[in-house]
């Protein structure tokens, strides 16, 4: 593909040449369209990968928040249970 673009560019060295040979312009246009489509496909793939990774990180953060909330709830219950176990003579 690169060689074809270079060949066409070389053939298009002068505007006069391009005007006299419309096939060269058609070939050049085709090469440019193919390259642009390939770039668009690569950007779409990268975009999809980034969005997927963001979703993964978001899920991990949600899990972490749930675990912290559960831990804090459990810790609070243990503190309350611990206060109930202290003999009345030691409570202030």
């Amino acid at each position: 593909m690169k060689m074809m673009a270079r060949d066409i560019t070389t053939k298009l060295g002068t505007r006069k040449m391009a005007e006299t040979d419309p096939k060269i312009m058609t070939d050049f246009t085709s090469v440019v369209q193919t390259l642009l489509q390939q770039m668009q496909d690569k950007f779409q793939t990268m975009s999809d990968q980034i969005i997927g990774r963001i979703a993964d990180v978001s899920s991990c953060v949600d899990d972490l928040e749930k675990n912290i909330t559960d831990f804090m709830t459990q810790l609070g219950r243990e503190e309350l249970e611990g206060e109930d176990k202290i003999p009345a003579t030691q409570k202030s």
Side-chain angles (χ1 to χ4, degrees):
M1 192 60 66
K2 290 180 182 178
M3 185 61 118
M4 186 178 185
R6 188 179 307 135
D7 292 341
I8 292 171
T9 305
T10 302
K11 290 178 183 177
L12 288 176
T14 64
R15 186 170 270 187
K16 184 177 180 184
M17 176 70 102
E19 290 171 357
T20 59
D21 193 354
K23 183 179 182 324
I24 293 173
M25 285 304 293
T26 302
D27 291 346
F28 184 72
T29 301
S30 176
V31 169
V32 170
Q33 287 176 339
T34 300
L35 291 173
L36 289 173
Q37 184 62 49
Q38 289 172 350
M39 287 176 56
Q40 182 177 354
D41 293 345
K42 287 181 182 181
F43 279 118
Q44 186 63 49
T45 299
M46 288 189 299
S47 176
D48 293 344
Q49 289 173 346
I50 290 169
I51 290 171
R53 288 179 182 168
I54 289 171
D56 291 344
V57 169
S58 176
S59 176
C60 289
V61 168
D62 291 343
D63 290 345
L64 181 61
E65 287 176 342
K66 182 185 178 309
N67 289 337
I68 289 172
T69 301
D70 292 347
F71 177 72
M72 295 299 287
T73 301
Q74 183 180 4
L75 186 62
R77 285 185 193 149
E78 289 175 1
E79 285 181 2
L80 288 176
E81 290 172 1
E83 288 176 4
D84 291 341
K85 292 180 183 176
I86 299 174
T89 56
Q90 292 181 354
K91 289 184 181 178
S92 314

